[in-house]
Amino acid sequence: MYAGIDVGGTNLKAGVCDANGRLLAVRKAPVPAFTGAEDFARILAELVRDAAGEAGVPLRELEWTGIGIPGAAGDGKVIYTCNIPLTGAPLGELFRRYLDVPVYLGNDADCAAVGEYFCGAGRGTRDFIVITLGTGIGGGLIMNGKVYAGSGMAGEVGHMVIEKDGELCNCGRRGCWEAYASATGLVRMTREMIRQRPESGLAALAAEQGEVTAQTAFLAAARGDAAGEKLRQRYLSYLAAGVTNLVNIFQPQVLALGGGVSNERRELLLEPLQALVEKECYARHGGAMTRIVAAELGNDAGVIGAALLPKAK
Amino acid sequence: MYAGIDVGGTNLKAGVCDANGRLLAVRKAPVPAFTGAEDFARILAELVRDAAGEAGVPLRELEWTGIGIPGAAGDGKVIYTCNIPLTGAPLGELFRRYLDVPVYLGNDADCAAVGEYFCGAGRGTRDFIVITLGTGIGGGLIMNGKVYAGSGMAGEVGHMVIEKDGELCNCGRRGCWEAYASATGLVRMTREMIRQRPESGLAALAAEQGEVTAQTAFLAAARGDAAGEKLRQRYLSYLAAGVTNLVNIFQPQVLALGGGVSNERRELLLEPLQALVEKECYARHGGAMTRIVAAELGNDAGVIGAALLPKAK
């Protein structure tokens, strides 16, 4: 039995899995006010104890705990986090003071990719990528069956410039893929389109709903609005530019999309995306085509992947 | 002892290496008029026999032959080549009819990366990238100490769009990195600058030399010409855009540049490139910085890497 922890921006989530990655129990808690790295490690250990108790798994049967953090990690230490002040903390060692099992740390997007690789959209592949389209763009890379982390911070695929000197990105660069193809980028482009076409069905829909979200463009397009459709096409062309870059660089068997945007109807998002990538990618000259699919595990990918992380190390 | 073959566009090159990748002998031959895949395999086998003879290595001491081809390969078969009609050929099996040692096939850029990884600029790393700036841009990827080929055609880093809807690339996409940062891209930008600034020292230098090459811009800049210097800065900004993308995606310990352009003086190319990447890359937020260096093995990288390929499989 394996324990996994997903350290999110808002919630902590611990789970216990069997060897097939089946979740036997999950415990959640809000991220606590920070009172030091050791206290934080203690809270994580308690969460694992609770989940194991709920699953009826004796602690001595836990082979390890994997922890996914929003940041970079290596050799039991946190290299960098931006939301929680854990940078430099020997989280593995601190955790073992409260629950003495081997601890493996990894990046949260990497853990999500590991979860999907063993139990979701990546089953049966060897090279596999998960792209999460959310506030930003996250990337998790499985290559030759192993998670790839570089020096701890690899996979920052959202910070790949696709439009030199383009929109300013949160990271400080201009023209990053994330500035266009994240949910945030889509909302920005939707606002721009509403300003340009105040008479459109898109503008009316946003006014009716009282807000602009990453769904507005797709909903307006599905209702047949021309501005909404133009915007959907524009978004797809940016999404495809980055996905095609990744396909040319990695040529994985499967690339899975996660995050809210990936829940749009297949014929509006995944199918036209696959067609755009096939039209532009290098493998059209004779190589194997990457399949683009939706991620399958949703919010559980992170905790399952953390639990299975050592299998992909 | 290991044999390696580098199948180039113009020449075939076979070499015999010891366990440290030291080349004991090399034999070259022009690529012959194509008379079938089996004939081609026979010529390769003879070249290895000749190299082994010259090195004084009995054939029974050859543990294997690695073959680097300009294209994609997998499991002893050629998946795709564009210069030589070998697509689909079981090159490994055909080769063994003439020299019965295990045969490993790989992409030529991957082999160059393997050579540099074991014996050149990548020694001591775990994650390592070689980018070759030539007619196009080649990429070889070593991740977690293994060559990464995806489904056989990975590493097409030159066909990463960095300027959406930009210059038309030979691959059919618009705005690929290769269209700007290859030697060919630099020549194109040099011609454009000469047209815009016919009175410049850059234009005078090109007229004096009777041609525009990838050196023209750097030479004019070194002589203090303003147009040449502006062009050098422009080229560097495109080169840095793609290198920074790769650093954000892979965060390797070292990224090596090969090809003619990489021979420019350090202070004109590698040093400002490192500075631009450090200013923009994601790891500046707290991670380990990738070192950007010149490749070390020159034209021998391919044959040494082919010989050592099974060690990185």
Side-chain angles (χ1 to χ4, degrees), chain B residues 80-126:
Chain B
Y80 169 75
T81 50
C82 75
N83 299 323
I84 304 167
L86 286 171
T87 298
L91 193 61
E93 186 195 315
L94 297 175
F95 184 95
R96 294 189 75 158
R97 293 186 189 165
Y98 299 94
L99 182 59
D100 193 22
V101 295
V103 178
Y104 297 88
L105 300 184
N107 168 267
D108 53 358
D110 289 349
C111 288
V114 171
E116 292 284 346
Y117 175 66
F118 285 117
C119 307
R123 269 186 308 255
T125 65
R126 188 187 65 238

Side-chain angles (χ1 to χ4, degrees), chain A residues 32-44 94 98:
Chain A
F34 191 76
T35 52
E38 177 157 354
D39 245 26
F40 190 78
R42 182 181 51 76
I43 291 165
L44 296 183
L94 296 174
Y98 300 94

Side-chain angles (χ1 to χ4, degrees), chain A residues 80 126 148 150-153 155-156 159 161-162 164 171 173 237 245 248-251 280 284-285, chain B residues 80 126 148 150-153 155-156 159 161-162 164 171 173 237 245 248-251 253 280 284-285:
Chain A
Y80 169 76
R126 189 188 63 238
Y148 179 78
S151 300
M153 276 179 123
E156 288 295 345
H159 302 292
V161 163
I162 59 162
K164 194 162 176 295
C171 81
R173 273 185 110 183
S237 84
N245 282 357
N248 285 350
I249 294 170
F250 290 108
Q251 201 194 17
E280 295 245 315
R284 78 183 187 283
H285 298 300
Chain B
Y80 169 75
R126 188 187 65 238
Y148 178 78
S151 300
M153 276 178 122
E156 289 295 344
H159 302 291
V161 163
I162 59 161
K164 194 163 175 296
C171 81
R173 273 187 108 183
S237 85
N245 282 358
N248 285 351
I249 293 169
F250 291 108
Q251 200 194 19
Q253 290 85 51
E280 294 246 317
R284 77 183 189 282
H285 297 300

Side-chain angles (χ1 to χ4, degrees), chain B residues 252-266:
Chain B
Q253 290 85 51
V254 172
L255 182 150
L257 290 185
V261 179
S262 69
N263 295 324
E264 294 294 340
R265 278 159 44 198
R266 290 189 57 79

Side-chain angles (χ1 to χ4, degrees), chain B residues 141-162:
Chain B
L141 311 173
I142 305 285
M143 348 215 83
N144 294 328
K146 301 291 171 196
V147 67
Y148 178 78
S151 300
M153 276 178 122
E156 289 295 344
V157 300
H159 302 291
M160 159 176 70
V161 163
I162 59 161

Side-chain angles (χ1 to χ4, degrees), chain B residues 61-86:
Chain B
E61 286 185 19
L62 288 181
E63 291 190 44
W64 61 63
T65 295
I67 307 179
I69 59 159
D75 282 340
K77 281 197 181 134
V78 176
I79 297 172
Y80 169 75
T81 50
C82 75
N83 299 323
I84 304 167
L86 286 171

Side-chain angles (χ1 to χ4, degrees), chain A residues 3-7 13 15 17 21-23 26 28 66-69 107-122 128 130-132 140 142 256-259 294-309:
Chain A
I5 304 173
D6 185 6
V7 176
K13 196 166 155 186
C17 287
R22 200 165 55 97
L23 266 179
V26 174
K28 272 194 213 176
I67 307 178
I69 59 158
N107 169 266
D108 52 359
D110 290 348
C111 288
V114 171
E116 293 283 347
Y117 175 66
F118 285 116
C119 307
F128 172 65
V130 177
I131 302 298
T132 307
I142 305 285
L257 290 185
E296 294 176 9
L297 304 181
N299 289 331
D300 287 338
V303 69
I304 294 173
L308 300 180
L309 182 61

